[in-house]
Amino acid sequence: MKSFFLELRDFFVSLKLTVALIAFGMLLVFAATLDQVNLGIWAVQEKYFRSFVVYTQAGGLTVPIFPGGYVVGGLLLINLVAAHVYRFTFKWKKVGILLTHAGLILLLVGELLSGLWQEDSHLRLSEGQTKNYIESYRHNELALIETTDATFDDVVAVPETLLAKKTSVQHPKLPFRMVTKTYYPNSVLQVRPANAPASEATAGFGVRTLAAPQPITYKPNETNSPSAFVEFVTTEGSLGTYLVSTQFVEPQTFTYAGRTWKIVFRTQRDYQPFAVSLVKFTFDRYPGTDIPKNFSSRVKLKSPDGRDDREALIYMNNPLRYAGLTFYQAGFERDERTTVLQVVRNPSWLLPYVACGLMTLGLLIQFGIHLAGFVGKRRPANVTPTPAPAATK
Amino acid sequence: MQFLRSSRLPLSLCPVLLALTACGDPQPVAYRTPKEQDPVPPAAPVASAEAPRTPTGAPAPTDASTAMASTPVATATGAALAWSAPARWQAKPASSMRRGSYTVSGEGTATADLAITAFPGDVGGEAANVNRWRGQLALTPLPETAASSALTRFAVGDLKFAVVDLSGTANGQPARLVGAMVPFGGATWFFKLIGPDALVAQEKPAFLAFLQTVQPAAPTP
């Protein structure tokens, strides 16, 4: 009987595993493409490719049904590396193949790292406005902002996922506990009709506002508007139940023990050690049409230590790279004085370029070697035999 | 496949995979920031040159009319509507933008404003107009289906009204807006009552009764 380690080795270096994984990969892409109709591009990526296991709902249960992209890609990576290590024999005429495979391995690693590390955010700036934070596209947070201090705000930001799971939040910076009683991933707010049942909210906007749950939207041009009823509880009792919603722009406030908090349910913020101001947004159209010709944002970067204080021009295909972030010109608002910059943090952004370079080089070498060999073999065959000169007597 | 069937490895790997998926939830974070200089701006629709959406999914564009309040637009001319307003509503002179204008007074100094306007076409559609009104009450835009579902519909003769009742804030105070829109004569007519929450709530029945009086104006000779 083979030892476990031999079995493990044989499993990972197997060419059959390669074929099986490629088949799994094709099935995964096929299923994800079909499901994109229901879930949209972002949810599909998370469900099928940026996951270890693909789950489905069956009768209220969450059932694993298929290996996810991380498993298929990860095993393919291990398989590729293991097979090379196991069967490795260096020959000059195999350099092209080795380089091509090295490029493929790097591409897989790059995708894995992008999946793990890449963060997409946005920065929305009106002319003259300065921000030192970027905002998430899809994640929200409930910010409890203590405004007691005259100079600073002390913020405790609770991720939406904790509200969704109705996790009780007890943070050392808060003299109360936050309990989520109801959570709607998507909702619409309406004026509470006089005959509606009593509101779950006991304070704030929710007393006179009705939050009606809506189906979650996966359409690429729509966003969900989550709402929740949260209660703040101290050892002395409840401070009230508030309706929080991303649709409220104005904050709600409450006071406890001489300290005041604002409650804001907003897109998740990521504060940066520098500030960006929009100096000027420029927008040109093709003459006589409404079709955008080009648009650009002149921004000013400023770090608190004064080391950076400069302007930069961001326009299509000319992003600004700063502090590990890349700022792309992504959109603008209708007033044409407000810009929307896509902000990407991807420490592994260079890997796909290096990988493609390696693969190109490898294929060129490999085909070059074959071509040279082929030409070399053909040349003697093409030489027409010339009759030997007659011997002179 | 033979090697998958014969090997115990795929099965033994399954628990590992499931364990990998059990990632921890993000935790609350605490930080201190200087007080914000800018007021929190209402989320506004985004137009992208790569329409209809920015590459990584910026908030969706809704309609150009969202910014209509601050943009010069053509008002509708042509067929007109007529109505009969309660006597206690104080008529104000119409303007280049307003076809009708009233001050609705409540107890004390509280007043609400009723504006009657008309613009050519559908002005971006019902959802865009609901979202424009939402913006005036510092509420963020809704997806099209949700915005449309917030409308109550009724007909007066051939006029088909869509009415929305919104509650939010204006100038930091609780405010309410009851708005009606009706397509007529190639234009869309808007009847908007906006003011303090309590006053608009009190006047809403009168406003709805007022809408019942709206009818095509008799042609002028």
Side-chain angles (χ1 to χ4, degrees):
Chain A
M1 189 179 166
K2 283 199 284 186
S3 76
F4 176 76
F5 289 106
L6 282 178
E7 197 177 345
L8 196 71
R9 182 202 67 192
D10 290 347
F11 175 77
F12 280 119
V13 302
S14 164
L15 188 62
K16 290 173 183 172
L17 176 64
T18 316
V19 175
L21 288 172
I22 290 172
F24 278 150
M26 287 166 66
L27 279 173
L28 203 60
V29 171
F30 184 68
T33 307
L34 291 183
D35 209 10
Q36 200 176 322
V37 176
N38 304 317
L39 298 182
I41 182 75
W42 291 106
V44 154
Q45 282 192 0
E46 296 297 318
K47 179 178 175 182
Y48 289 89
F49 302 122
R50 293 185 172 169
S51 61
F52 289 97
V53 178
V54 179
Y55 292 94
T56 191
Q57 295 290 327
L61 289 174
T62 305
V63 185
I65 50 164
F66 207 74
Y70 283 155
V71 168
V72 174
L75 282 178
L76 200 57
L77 178 65
I78 294 168
N79 177 237
L80 206 56
V81 174
H84 270 274
V85 170
Y86 180 58
R87 303 195 180 96
F88 184 80
T89 48
F90 183 81
K91 288 180 188 165
W92 277 108
K93 66 177 196 178
K94 285 195 171 179
V95 163
I97 292 179
L98 286 174
L99 278 175
T100 309
H101 280 91
L104 190 59
I105 289 168
L106 206 57
L107 196 66
L108 286 167
V109 171
E111 173 53 28
L112 177 70
L113 295 182
S114 289
L116 293 175
W117 292 343
Q118 180 169 323
E119 294 166 29
D120 286 310
S121 309
H122 71 279
L123 175 61
R124 183 189 303 265
L125 281 175
S126 296
E127 283 180 5
Q129 194 177 23
T130 303
K131 280 184 182 172
N132 62 343
Y133 60 85
I134 53 179
E135 292 175 89
S136 168
Y137 278 119
R138 292 176 298 283
H139 301 298
N140 298 304
E141 64 185 14
L142 183 68
L144 301 166
I145 307 166
E146 188 186 347
T147 57
T148 316
D149 191 289
T151 323
F152 290 95
D153 284 342
D154 282 307
V155 183
V156 175
V158 182
E160 185 186 350
T161 43
L162 295 187
L163 271 68
K165 293 188 174 180
K166 299 183 184 173
T167 310
S168 174
V169 174
Q170 176 85 64
H171 195 276
K173 295 246 176 182
L174 299 174
F176 49 78
R177 189 161 49 91
M178 191 190 91
V179 183
T180 305
K181 299 171 92 173
T182 307
Y183 167 79
Y184 303 132
N186 192 18
S187 61
V188 56
L189 298 185
Q190 293 163 353
V191 174
R192 176 171 288 280
N195 57 355
S199 174
E200 214 173 329
T202 58
F205 299 162
V207 176
R208 57 187 174 84
T209 309
L210 184 84
Q214 298 285 310
I216 297 176
T217 178
Y218 295 106
K219 291 182 183 172
N221 59 347
E222 290 182 358
T223 50
N224 290 302
S225 301
S227 297
F229 288 95
V230 292
E231 183 178 18
F232 302 104
V233 187
T234 68
T235 49
E236 297 148 27
S238 173
L239 299 175
T241 300
Y242 289 78
L243 170 64
V244 294
S245 172
T246 55
Q247 294 170 67
F248 291 136
V249 175
E250 296 281 324
Q252 303 177 74
T253 54
F254 68 92
T255 303
Y256 172 64
R259 297 159 68 184
T260 304
W261 280 267
K262 284 197 295 190
I263 318 166
V264 187
F265 201 12
R266 64 189 186 191
T267 51
Q268 198 166 306
R269 290 184 180 184
D270 184 6
Y271 280 84
Q272 304 298 320
F274 58 88
V276 185
S277 315
L278 179 64
V279 179
K280 177 79 181 159
F281 178 70
T282 314
F283 178 46
D284 298 325
R285 292 180 172 85
Y286 285 101
T289 72
D290 285 332
I291 301 166
K293 185 180 178 187
N294 55 53
F295 50 119
S296 59
S297 304
R298 179 164 292 282
V299 297
K300 187 169 189 178
L301 269 170
K302 200 169 183 179
S303 56
D305 58 7
R307 287 177 64 184
D308 282 300
D309 188 357
R310 63 185 169 95
E311 288 194 0
L313 186 66
I314 302 170
Y315 54 92
M316 297 297 280
N317 301 323
N318 187 58
L320 164 69
R321 294 186 197 279
Y322 183 75
L325 298 172
T326 310
F327 297 78
Y328 297 93
Q329 181 67 61
F332 57 92
E333 287 183 8
R334 298 283 178 188
D335 63 2
E336 297 180 17
R337 290 168 55 87
T338 305
T339 190
V340 180
L341 303 174
Q342 182 194 358
V343 187
V344 178
R345 185 198 303 277
N346 184 5
S348 58
W349 68 277
L350 268 175
L351 283 186
Y353 296 97
V354 178
C356 288
L358 273 179
M359 284 195 284
T360 308
L361 185 66
L363 288 171
L364 282 175
I365 292 173
Q366 191 60 29
F367 285 125
I369 289 172
H370 274 282
L371 187 65
F374 179 69
V375 170
K377 279 181 192 166
R378 263 180 80 88
R379 190 167 288 144
N382 283 345
V383 176
T384 49
T386 50
T392 50
K393 291 183 182 173
Chain B
M1 288 180 194
Q2 185 59 41
F3 86 106
L4 284 177
R5 280 201 299 272
S6 62
S7 173
R8 289 165 293 167
L9 277 169
L11 277 179
S12 59
L13 284 172
C14 284
V16 179
L17 298 181
L18 290 173
L20 281 171
T21 63
C23 298
D25 283 324
Q27 293 302 307
V29 289
Y31 49 85
R32 170 171 274 201
T33 63
K35 286 197 182 295
E36 280 186 27
Q37 302 278 316
D38 305 304
V40 183
V46 176
S48 170
E50 299 172 7
R53 188 172 168 76
T54 53
T56 56
T62 50
D63 192 86
S65 61
T66 316
M68 202 177 70
S70 58
T71 310
V73 290
T75 54
T77 55
L81 291 175
W83 50 83
S84 173
R88 68 176 186 281
W89 293 359
Q90 186 186 348
K92 291 187 286 192
S95 67
S96 59
M97 295 288 285
R98 293 190 175 197
R99 297 305 193 87
S101 190
Y102 295 89
T103 297
V104 180
S105 302
E107 290 174 7
T109 56
T111 57
D113 180 54
L114 169 60
I116 302 164
T117 52
F119 298 94
D122 65 357
V123 204
E126 287 178 345
N129 289 307
V130 169
N131 281 329
R132 178 164 53 86
W133 282 335
R134 290 179 64 82
Q136 291 171 17
L137 290 187
L139 299 169
T140 52
L142 290 179
E144 187 170 349
T145 46
S148 297
S149 67
L151 289 162
T152 308
R153 297 172 195 282
F154 61 85
V156 179
D158 292 334
L159 299 174
K160 293 182 172 56
F161 283 88
V163 180
V164 68
D165 188 343
L166 302 169
S167 184
T169 54
N171 303 320
Q173 298 296 319
R176 188 160 170 173
L177 185 158
V178 185
M181 55 191 115
V182 55
F184 175 70
T188 305
W189 286 66
F190 298 94
F191 299 79
K192 183 184 76 173
L193 177 63
I194 185 169
D197 187 37
L199 176 57
V200 174
Q202 177 193 316
E203 290 293 330
K204 186 181 174 184
F207 176 73
L208 293 177
F210 157 77
L211 292 180
Q212 298 287 334
T213 69
V214 177
Q215 57 183 319
T220 49

